[in-house]
Structures are given as structure tokens and as C-alpha cells.
Amino acid sequence: MQFDDDADLDTSEVKDVRNSRIPGGRATIGGGVVGLIALVLGLLFGVGPDQLGLSDGNPQPASTTSSVAQVQQSCKKGSDANAREDCRLVAVVNSTQDFWRQEFQRRGGKYSPASTVFFSGQVNTACGAASKAVGPFYCPADRQVYLDLGFFDDLRTKFGATGGPFAQAYVIAHEYGHHIQNLTGTLARAQNGQTGANSNAVKVELQADCYAGVWAHNATKTPDESGRPLITNLTDADIRDGLDAAAAVGDDRIQEKFQGRVTPESWTHGSAEQRQQWFYQGYRTGDMAQCNTFR
């Protein structure tokens, strides 16, 4: 994955609160065994922690801004995205939102942007307090994506993904898929508390995978404010990394790895095969209308 060296990055779309002080007490989701259970439950790449009862239900104050907002200082150009991981993720956020903004306009709608929050360890959100153990998630209450960058190491070391820049991009694009669902009204379908291979929770997650694929299909053709695409090249190897990441976080793979058996009745995100299938459906067609997982 390559970015236009001369492109301007919009760091206003990312809030960097890594290493900042978090007022209002500790997060309610810890690491260790609790974190492992959360991952087995299938929170990975999901929506806010309140949806599985993992917050205390009390409003939480926002994290304070880091005294050194790293991305605002360091991520200016596409060349920075080609050199630094955090800048690359800023560029992916920019590209993803450029695409959906233009796609909504093409369809006669108006896109409402969402920020991505980089945090370290734990964070307080409008959906409750969360830690890195939850994995990346989208909070519909404040319309923000939350990401501890250390998760990408876990994706390789704990879940066996090959990793790579596009595996990270897939994660971001999946979370913005949840934002699209929130804007279009389909995200609420996952909030009935049901689980299982045919549950709405799974269908919502697979649709977010498909939307990530739709963005990937269009990424090198979507102009930024300069009129040129921010992403200049995606290779077949990049897409394979994305498909590999999607499979690594399938419910069946996670359950087999961490509990030694597969229990489809508790699935919340879909199997490895399903996640790959729906990401590739979006990538192959480039059309969000082909992402109806509820049929």
C-alpha cells in the first residue's frame, strides 16, 4: 500500500490521546484473563463495550488530550504515511472518509464524519470505559472509532495473522463500516442481545467487512481535496493480507484457539470463511448495495 508523497494529511480526523491522563477512574475491562474472555466472546472489531455489558453504565468523562499529540506534530504529508505507522493510519482514515463522503453525495445523501481516537491501555468513551482487551471498536453514542495501536501486534502474535499495512487498513475500514451502518440505521439490528451463526450481530459484522472491501475497491480511485487519490497503489499481496486478517478474527478461529472448541451458537462476528467472503464481495464489486448480509 502506497500513498501520494505530496498529499496533505488531515490530522483533524484523528484524536491522539496516547499516554494521556484519563480522569474518572479506571476502565472496567482489564487485561489478562478478563481480556482473553472478552476476545473469545467475539468483541474483536466490534461496537461499543456497553453492548455486551462490559461497561458500568455510568457516563464517563472523555480522555484529556495528550500533552504531545504525536500525529498532529508528525503526520503532515503522504510521505509521512509511507514512513510511519501512526501516520499511515491517519491516511487510511482520511481515504476511508473521502470515499464515504463522496459515495453518500453520489447517492444523494450527506456523510457525517467520525473521528478515530488513538489511545494506549484504556480509554473512556460515551459507550463506557474500555481497555485494549476489547480490541478496536466503534462507539455509536459519540460516533468515534477507538484504537490502541498495540492491537496490531496482538493480531500477529495472538491471532496468527500475517499482519502488514493493509491488514491494519482493513481493521480501520471495518470500523468505519460500523459508522456507515450507524448513519444508515442498520447498526441497531445488532443490539437485540442475540448471538449465533445466523444472528443479526453476525450479519452486522459481516456487512462491515463488506463495506471495508467496498472502500478497498475504490481506494486508488478516490480523490482527496487536491483532486488526486491519496492511496496510489494497492497490490494483490495487500488484499491477501486483508483477507488473512479477516480470517484470523473469525469466531471459529478464535474459539478453537482460546477455548479448544467451536460453538457457533455464541458467534457474534462470523466464521473465518464468512469474513473473508464478505470482504472479498465488497472488494470485487465496489458497491455497497451488494453488501446486504440480511437477505
Side-chain angles (χ1 to χ4, degrees), residues 28-30 33-55 127 129-138 146 151 159 171 174-175 178 190 195 201 205 249-251 254-255 258 266-270 275:
T28 58
I29 304 170
V33 175
V34 176
L36 178 60
I37 291 172
L39 293 173
V40 170
L41 283 172
L43 267 170
L44 210 59
F45 298 7
V47 290
D50 61 326
Q51 290 191 265
L52 290 183
L54 294 176
S55 71
C127 292
S131 80
K132 175 187 174 181
V134 178
F137 67 92
Y138 171 72
Y146 290 87
F151 166 78
F159 298 97
V171 173
H174 173 97
E175 295 308 329
H178 285 313
T195 62
E205 295 298 334
V249 292
D251 282 324
I254 291 175
Q255 289 178 340
F258 291 108
S266 65
W267 286 3
T268 57
H269 284 61
R275 300 200 71 167

Side-chain angles (χ1 to χ4, degrees), residues 2-241:
Q2 191 76 16
F3 301 92
D4 178 359
D5 280 338
D6 296 324
D8 293 321
L9 300 186
D10 183 0
T11 56
S12 70
E13 295 186 339
V14 173
K15 299 176 181 178
D16 189 356
V17 297
R18 289 173 290 176
N19 303 316
S20 62
R21 183 178 60 86
I22 301 178
R26 61 183 178 83
T28 58
I29 304 170
V33 175
V34 176
L36 178 60
I37 291 172
L39 293 173
V40 170
L41 283 172
L43 267 170
L44 210 59
F45 298 7
V47 290
D50 61 326
Q51 290 191 265
L52 290 183
L54 294 176
S55 71
D56 59 11
N58 295 321
Q60 298 288 337
S63 301
T64 58
T65 302
S66 173
S67 59
V68 181
Q70 298 176 52
V71 297
Q72 279 75 17
Q73 292 186 349
S74 302
C75 303
K76 305 292 187 182
K77 291 286 187 178
S79 56
D80 299 320
N82 287 322
R84 288 176 53 121
E85 178 186 61
D86 51 2
C87 298
R88 179 169 66 241
L89 298 178
V90 172
V92 170
V93 169
N94 290 171
S95 173
T96 304
Q97 298 211 95
D98 284 342
F99 168 69
W100 287 115
R101 188 178 294 110
Q102 293 168 41
E103 180 66 8
F104 270 54
Q105 183 177 13
R106 188 180 71 81
R107 292 175 176 270
K110 184 177 181 180
Y111 176 75
S112 297
S115 297
T116 290
V117 180
F118 292 167
F119 71 96
S120 54
Q122 60 187 36
V123 68
N124 290 327
T125 81
C127 292
S131 80
K132 175 187 174 181
V134 178
F137 67 92
Y138 171 72
C139 175
D142 60 23
R143 293 187 174 184
Q144 295 190 125
V145 171
Y146 290 87
L147 175 64
D148 185 320
L149 272 61
F151 166 78
F152 295 124
D153 292 330
D154 293 342
L155 187 60
R156 291 183 296 101
T157 61
K158 294 182 179 179
F159 298 97
T162 56
F166 192 79
Q168 299 175 354
Y170 155 71
V171 173
I172 294 287
H174 173 97
E175 295 308 329
Y176 274 91
H178 285 313
H179 181 55
I180 300 307
Q181 292 170 323
N182 195 27
L183 296 179
T184 57
T186 59
L187 185 60
R189 288 182 160 187
Q191 298 176 355
N192 59 10
Q194 297 180 359
T195 62
N198 198 42
S199 66
N200 281 349
V202 166
K203 292 174 182 177
V204 161
E205 295 298 334
L206 295 178
Q207 186 178 64
D209 281 335
C210 188
Y211 285 163
V214 170
W215 162 74
H217 174 96
N218 292 283
T220 59
K221 299 177 286 187
T222 300
D224 62 11
E225 289 187 355
S226 73
R228 302 190 308 271
L230 176 55
I231 296 179
T232 59
N233 188 40
L234 282 180
T235 67
D236 290 343
D238 289 324
I239 301 305
R240 285 196 297 271
D241 284 345

